[in-house]
Amino acid sequence: MPNPYREIFKAPGAKGFAAAAFFARLPIAMAPIGIVAMLSQAYGEYWLAGAVSATFALTNAVVAPQISRAVDRIGQAKVLAPATIISVAAFLVLLAATNQRWPTWTLFASAFFAAAMPSIPAMVRARWTEIFRDRPELNTAFAFESAADELVYIAGASLSVGLSVSLFPEAGMLVSTLLLAFGSIAFILQRSTEPKIRPMEHGAQGSAIRQRPVQIITFVLIFIGATFATAEVSTVAITKALGHPDTASLVIGVYAAGSFIVGLIVGALNLTMPLQRQLAIAVSVIALTTLPLLMVTTVPMLALAIFVSGVAISPTFITAFGLIERRVPEAMLTEGVTWVMTGIGIGMALGSFVTGWVVDTFGAHNGFWVSVAAGTISLVTVLLGQRALGGERSRMPAVPQPAE
């Protein structure tokens, strides 16, 4: 039986843009938790770290879809280059402000402008779509990207925290900024696979967020993102309380082990169950596996509970983006994917802030109650949205072009 993942990488340029995109999007995971790790060590206050991280992520949640909409209309290279320059410059200011203890407002201001960081996962999915549009290989490509996203969120967070704890507070954010700069350059320079600008369709002139499936999936992934952030912040706090702060990156890293493997397996299978039901099952697993996190008392127990709670992450991503591809008009695909990705970012920002406050107020072990609440809300939302998530994307005729 041929390997479906090997087949998709036979397409010209696929290996190059996929590799560049992997490194360019690591900052999506590294930056929010990296800001928390950097500022909590430098200033000793989780609330400040969470607030600055939230400023970055929430602003990015608003700006990134607008960047993606411009990409759909102008092209990737023309939009990604200036957006990346602004983001990299702002991150460098944030690093300097932290290291030199500049006034607190400079932390928030630099985080605000750093939010110009574009959604690389949306850009790379647009390239896969350009290559495999209306072909079965597109589902395999999306499954690969979902597994890669999960690995980025978990491995990136682990790398960011590990560097900051092991070397110096700014180390994680410094590496994140360099990856954003050089990864984006490598991605932008690959012009042969850049998607063509497609004509708009009737019904596609507004924002993708007006589409009901986009609203539901984005809302669900806000709370899935909150479970990520809660696990990360609580792990840093608990391992520190237990006297083993150096194990934080290892514990966070075990998220990736089971989930990455399960995600690749699911992506290679030709499952016939409707995607909305697959999403409901995956989110149910995430919600149920938040409960053991409340009972951890040692680092090994924490690592095991974190491992179990991460198993369904990749399947959740795979089904969520599969639903977006099927239910959103083609002219809105990049923006639709971006809204879902920024939903994860919003959840991580809010999760970091709320969990930081809970940890500061009630103790390290109580932070996981945020995961329980977030998992429950995401599950209820998926169950209530089953009917709206069902069906296929409507094919709408292109807007007639005026005669020359």
Side-chain angles (χ1 to χ4, degrees):
M1 180 178 176
N3 184 335
Y5 295 102
R6 182 179 300 168
E7 294 300 315
I8 65 173
F9 282 107
K10 290 181 179 179
K15 293 180 181 178
F17 75 72
F22 180 82
F23 292 104
R25 64 182 157 186
L26 274 168
I28 295 175
M30 294 182 70
I33 190 63
I35 292 173
V36 172
M38 177 176 69
L39 296 181
S40 63
Q41 291 185 83
Y43 291 87
E45 296 176 315
Y46 280 101
W47 75 266
L48 175 63
V52 175
S53 179
T55 298
F56 164 76
L58 293 176
T59 305
N60 183 254
V62 175
V63 173
Q66 314 313 315
I67 293 175
S68 292
R69 188 185 301 181
V71 165
D72 284 333
R73 288 155 174 74
I74 302 175
Q76 289 189 355
K78 292 181 180 178
V79 178
L80 296 186
T84 301
I85 290 172
I86 293 172
S87 183
V88 168
F91 275 129
L92 292 175
V93 173
L94 177 60
L95 286 165
T98 302
N99 183 265
Q100 299 299 315
R101 297 296 191 277
W102 291 353
T104 302
W105 69 266
T106 61
L107 303 176
F108 289 95
S110 54
F112 177 85
F113 285 102
M117 184 175 71
S119 177
I120 296 298
M123 308 305 158
V124 72
R125 282 176 171 84
R127 295 200 179 203
W128 284 121
T129 302
E130 188 74 11
I131 295 173
F132 296 124
R133 189 180 305 277
D134 298 323
R135 291 169 55 183
E137 291 91 340
L138 182 59
N139 291 332
T140 302
F142 274 19
F144 171 80
E145 291 302 323
S146 295
D149 284 335
E150 186 276 335
L151 183 60
V152 163
Y153 272 103
I154 305 308
S158 177
L159 175 63
S160 187
V161 172
L163 289 171
S164 294
V165 172
S166 302
L167 300 178
F168 50 91
E170 300 85 1
M173 283 304 302
L174 177 59
V175 172
S176 174
T177 303
L178 293 175
L179 287 170
L180 174 61
F182 291 105
S184 296
I185 290 172
F187 185 79
I188 293 169
L189 289 177
Q190 299 182 62
R191 302 298 299 275
S192 64
T193 54
E194 181 176 345
K196 299 176 182 177
I197 301 175
R198 301 177 66 82
M200 298 301 296
E201 301 171 334
H202 286 302
Q205 278 73 28
S207 174
I209 198 61
R210 295 182 180 179
Q211 301 283 318
R212 187 63 173 168
V214 177
Q215 294 173 352
I216 294 172
I217 296 173
T218 300
F219 188 77
V220 169
L221 291 193
I222 285 174
F223 291 95
I224 297 299
T227 65
F228 296 169
T230 301
E232 293 163 0
V233 175
S234 294
T235 294
V236 172
I238 289 176
T239 53
K240 182 178 180 180
L242 294 174
H244 301 284
D246 55 325
T247 63
S249 60
L250 177 62
V251 172
I252 294 174
V254 302
Y255 247 144
S259 188
F260 183 68
I261 295 172
V262 172
L264 290 178
I265 293 173
V266 170
L269 297 176
N270 185 20
L271 299 177
T272 58
M273 181 184 296
L275 283 176
Q276 68 271 19
R277 294 183 185 175
Q278 295 183 41
L279 181 63
I281 292 173
V283 174
S284 297
V285 174
I286 290 178
L288 290 174
T289 53
T290 60
L291 299 176
L293 295 170
L294 301 173
M295 298 178 283
V296 298
T297 56
T298 65
V299 172
M301 287 180 63
L302 176 62
L304 178 60
I306 286 288
F307 174 83
V308 172
S309 68
V311 169
I313 294 175
S314 272
T316 299
F317 280 9
I318 292 170
T319 52
F321 287 110
L323 283 166
I324 289 293
E325 191 276 330
R326 291 189 182 185
R327 297 304 315 279
V328 176
E330 291 178 358
M332 290 182 168
L333 179 60
T334 305
E335 186 190 352
V337 171
T338 302
W339 276 113
V340 175
M341 292 302 304
T342 54
I344 300 172
I346 291 172
M348 294 186 70
L350 294 176
S352 295
F353 180 74
V354 174
T355 305
W357 177 81
V358 171
V359 167
D360 287 338
T361 306
F362 301 104
H365 288 80
N366 287 303
F368 283 123
W369 280 106
V370 180
S371 284
V372 175
T376 301
I377 294 172
S378 62
L379 176 57
V380 171
T381 303
V382 169
L383 295 178
L384 293 176
Q386 286 293 289
R387 181 182 296 273
L389 293 175
E392 295 291 334
R393 175 181 57 227
S394 59
R395 300 282 179 175
M396 293 177 279
V399 174
Q401 299 297 314
E404 296 183 359

